[in-house]
Amino acid sequence: MPRSKTGARRAIPLWVWGVLALIIIVAGVFVLQGGLLTRDGVPAEVSVSEAAAKRDQGAFVLDVRQPEEWQEAHIPGATLIPLGDLPNRLNELPKDQEIVVVCRSGNRSATGRDILRDAGFTNVTSMAGGVTQWKAQGLELVTGP
């Protein structure tokens, strides 16, 4: 415990304990929400290059953007189910195949991943950076329906 100049022990201010508790809580929520850890051995998030490799190896690519975004550009072979429709269309997804969830930037895909995980899908991950990063890396995109 810290000592003052007179040698007496000083109590750690209450606000310090509050900050430490808040950091621990936030870290715990991050881990429980997928964070950087894996669930059932599947990473919560993969890079664009990892997602492309998974797609090439037969992973199911689920795009959770809106139809107008999809028509502008999407990953070849991907399936569109907008995020808002996802909970009601889970029966359209393969339970026996790896699923990579994508969106424009990576935020909605993380939510989609969590919806699937909560529904019992175990082999599902989210692509970091989304279609924006896919395009920036010069990977193929298609337009239209």
Side-chain angles (χ1 to χ4, degrees):
M1 189 170 264
R3 295 185 181 268
S4 66
K5 291 181 182 181
T6 63
R9 292 184 185 252
R10 288 184 298 171
I12 297 174
L14 185 59
W15 68 268
V16 172
W17 289 113
V19 169
L20 288 173
L22 183 61
I23 290 170
I24 291 168
I25 290 168
V26 169
V29 169
F30 181 74
V31 168
L32 290 174
Q33 292 294 321
L36 299 174
L37 302 180
T38 63
R39 185 187 285 178
D40 297 326
V42 179
E45 190 172 73
V46 295
S47 68
V48 168
S49 58
E50 291 169 316
K54 287 180 178 296
R55 182 198 62 162
D56 294 345
Q57 294 166 1
F60 183 92
V61 178
L62 173 63
D63 193 320
V64 295
R65 297 175 301 151
Q66 292 299 306
E68 53 276 5
E69 294 174 287
W70 166 270
Q71 289 192 19
E72 286 178 20
H74 58 271
I75 297 170
T79 297
L80 174 67
I81 300 179
L83 185 60
D85 298 342
L86 188 55
N88 298 320
R89 296 179 60 187
L90 296 174
N91 62 334
E92 298 176 35
L93 301 173
K95 284 253 187 189
D96 60 346
Q97 188 177 359
E98 183 173 15
I99 299 174
V100 178
V101 186
V102 303
C103 66
R104 183 182 39 127
S105 64
N107 293 323
R108 286 176 284 179
S109 62
T111 301
R113 173 204 61 218
D114 293 343
I115 289 170
L116 295 180
R117 285 182 170 183
D118 291 345
F121 289 82
T122 56
N123 198 1
V124 59
T125 189
S126 171
M127 183 177 78
V131 174
T132 300
Q133 190 61 35
W134 183 279
K135 181 180 180 180
Q137 291 191 21
L139 296 171
E140 181 185 6
L141 290 168
V142 293
T143 59

